[in-house]
Amino acid sequence: MRVAELRSLALLARAGFRRESTYLLAMMAGLFTNVVFGFIRASILLAAVDSAGGQLVGYTRDTISAYVWLSQGLIGAVMLTGTAEIGERVRTGEVAVDFLRPLDVQAAHLATDLGRAAFTLIPRGVPSVLVGAVTVGLVMPTSVQPYLLGAVSVLLGVSLSFLTRFAVNLAGFWIIETRGVTSLLAVVQGFLSGLYVPVHLFPGWLGALAAATPFPSILQAPIDVLSGRVTGADGLRVVAVQLVWVVAVAVVGQVLIRTGRRRLEVQGG
Amino acid sequence: MAEASRSEPGARLGRAAPYVVVARSRLRAQRSYGTSFAFDLVGSLMVGLTELGEVWVVFHNVTVLGGLDFSAVLLLFGLSNLGFSLGDMVFGHIDNIPGYIRTGTLEAFYLRPQPILAQLMVSDIQLRRLSRTGVAVAALVAGLVVNDIDWGLSTVVLLVLTAVSGVAIFGGLFVWAGALQFRLVNGAEVTNSFTYGGSYAASQPASIFPTALKVTFGYLVPVVFTAYLPTLRILDLPGPSLLPSWLAWLTPVAAVWVWGVAVLLWRDGLRHYQSGGG
């Protein structure tokens, strides 16, 4: 039974990967826009490092550049847009079909999203970092450990992003129109996850506010681990915090899907 | 159609009547879903506030960026966001053409005897973006108050020219984006680089950009005219290489350039479009 479930999830992940790979032109368009935004962001933050005398909250020109291009590379995978397919399926009632399947709804959607994210890293993620390396210049760790832990951290970040979007989209069980809530999520999440400015640059109170949310664990944490800003025990601690958030948000999603299911009314059929 | 144009509002408004009627109905429709509209307003307010927040976080760490201090950047931010939020409100939905093509809505626009661009403009004016305009106006007013400005007729004229041209420039860029959607149905995200990317670049001191970006956002997608150059002129600051501050007076020329390209691209897009049938 468990093995069968895992196999189904693996198949869903593969389906997510393949579905994404059919939109290659859209990927290229996304990469182009990622790179343009990367240039603008790099200009701002490099100017800030220069203005601060070459050192800004531990960032130098090379490391802030790594932050910019890693975040540009991860945007496609973590997808901070606030929307998730589940919201649309709740609205149209198609979610009823999901409930009929012998798989957990949340796990099934997560598997598909991980497949999608894995694909985006190839045509969008890696090239973004390469463009940054070639044009602006950046430093990446030379040892293996940050990359191994970084891979785990990216996986947790992508999962957390999905689980957060999933939970917020389930608001659709109670309010019909979720666009307002999801766009609000996208804005707040983008800011507090360190998408535009590293969370480390936030003043104390804003940093504390961000740390009280799962958002920095979505983007800032994987960047910190991958770029080698946090290593050793600190790196493990960052990943542990991510794991705690993943579990917490997953539990919230499970509770919402169970209570929401009782409110679901499907017309006809 | 004939009946509609003889109805009350039509009689008074002449040729603009159909647009006014559609725009009014769209605006009414948005207000009628109270909760959702309130959420949208809050969302749009948060977009404005977080963008201002990003700028503020940077200035929490440094005092000067690209030759401008925080008060100067308030003026820069206010001007660029005023132009963008109004341009986005009126024209922003035009780049949703792949959606209109998919649902067949575009066919309906072709059937009516009005220009398609004008119809599209009024088809979905987004009132929810007004709260973002509010943030822009607040930043602009703050910027005008906290800076030491030599007020005179030329300052006022430049501000008005900039505000009007800024809306035109960003609106025109959305028309570029919309026109290109006819060809880029699967690669539509490219256009975000000059609409949203343009807005992002416009709110930065352009002196920080490498030469390629200075040329791009100075002369090809001329968003530096919407805020950066006027800010330099108003605060009497020198411009960086390639972008002397007297260029601020040519802001209307930049708007004409954007609209010239917009009209060409739009005509080309319409010609390129072939209906999916139905």
Side-chain angles (χ1 to χ4, degrees), chain B residues 187-271:
Chain B
E189 216 188 321
V190 164
T191 58
N192 286 355
S193 59
F194 58 81
T195 51
Y196 300 103
S199 154
Y200 188 32
S203 60
Q204 308 301 333
S207 50
I208 64 174
F209 292 144
T211 308
L213 282 197
K214 268 192 204 136
V215 172
T216 305
F217 291 118
Y219 298 98
L220 295 175
V221 184
V223 292
V224 300
F225 286 87
T226 65
Y228 178 63
L229 291 169
T231 300
L232 292 180
R233 192 65 249 138
I234 290 168
L235 300 180
D236 201 18
L237 297 167
S241 60
L242 294 172
L243 299 172
S245 63
W246 57 262
L247 278 177
W249 290 105
L250 298 186
T251 299
V253 177
V256 169
W257 153 255
V258 169
W259 274 93
V261 175
V263 167
L264 289 179
L265 287 176
W266 184 255
R267 286 202 185 136
D268 173 73
L270 284 188
R271 259 203 309 274

Side-chain angles (χ1 to χ4, degrees), chain A residues 103-269:
Chain A
L103 271 177
D104 178 67
V105 179
Q106 189 191 42
H109 279 260
L110 174 62
T112 313
D113 194 66
L114 288 178
R116 177 202 62 76
F119 181 79
T120 61
L121 286 176
I122 303 165
R124 264 178 94 163
V126 175
S128 285
V129 180
L130 287 179
V131 167
V134 171
T135 56
V136 187
L138 49 85
V139 285
M140 291 291 288
T142 47
S143 59
V144 184
Q145 191 256 351
Y147 296 99
L148 292 179
L149 193 61
V152 177
S153 185
V154 170
L155 178 69
L156 289 171
V158 172
S159 304
L160 182 56
S161 169
F162 168 78
L163 291 166
T164 312
R165 273 181 285 131
F166 185 85
V168 169
N169 274 267
L170 290 178
F173 280 122
W174 291 271
I175 53 172
I176 312 285
E177 175 62 61
T178 52
R179 197 191 62 188
V181 201
T182 53
S183 60
L184 198 59
L185 170 73
V187 176
V188 174
Q189 193 179 31
F191 186 49
L192 295 182
S193 66
L195 177 60
Y196 290 98
V197 183
V199 174
H200 308 297
L201 264 62
F202 287 2
W205 64 271
L206 193 58
L209 180 73
T213 70
F215 305 133
S217 284
I218 292 175
L219 192 63
Q220 186 72 54
I223 295 171
D224 286 350
V225 176
L226 264 179
S227 64
R229 185 182 167 101
V230 288
T231 49
D234 287 338
L236 288 174
R237 195 161 53 237
V238 167
V239 172
V241 170
Q242 285 186 287
L243 190 61
V244 169
W245 278 115
V246 166
V247 173
V249 179
V251 168
V252 170
Q254 285 291 342
V255 171
L256 287 175
I257 201 129
R258 264 151 222 205
T259 45
R261 186 175 184 166
R262 279 185 234 119
R263 288 188 54 98
L264 182 68
E265 285 173 42
V266 181
Q267 310 289 324

Side-chain angles (χ1 to χ4, degrees), chain A residues 23 25-26 29-30 32-33 36-37 39-41 43-45 47-48 51-52 56-57 124 177 179-181 184 187-188 191 196-197 201-203 205-206, chain B residues 36 39-40 42-43 46-47 50 53-54 56-58 60-65 128 186-190 192-193 196-197 200-201 204 208-210 213 217:
Chain A
Y23 298 106
L25 193 62
F32 180 82
T33 301
V36 172
F37 271 87
F39 283 136
I40 302 173
R41 293 184 53 212
S43 307
I44 299 166
L45 291 172
S51 180
L56 181 67
V57 205
R124 264 178 94 163
E177 175 62 61
R179 197 191 62 188
V181 201
L184 198 59
V187 176
V188 174
F191 186 49
Y196 290 98
V197 183
L201 264 62
F202 287 2
W205 64 271
L206 193 58
Chain B
S36 182
F39 249 117
D40 282 341
V42 175
M46 290 302 288
V47 171
T50 51
E54 285 151 19
W56 176 75
V57 165
V58 171
H60 176 75
N61 293 277
V62 299
T63 45
V64 178
L65 193 74
R128 64 197 159 98
N186 246 326
E189 216 188 321
V190 164
N192 286 355
S193 59
Y196 300 103
Y200 188 32
Q204 308 301 333
I208 64 174
F209 292 144
L213 282 197
F217 291 118

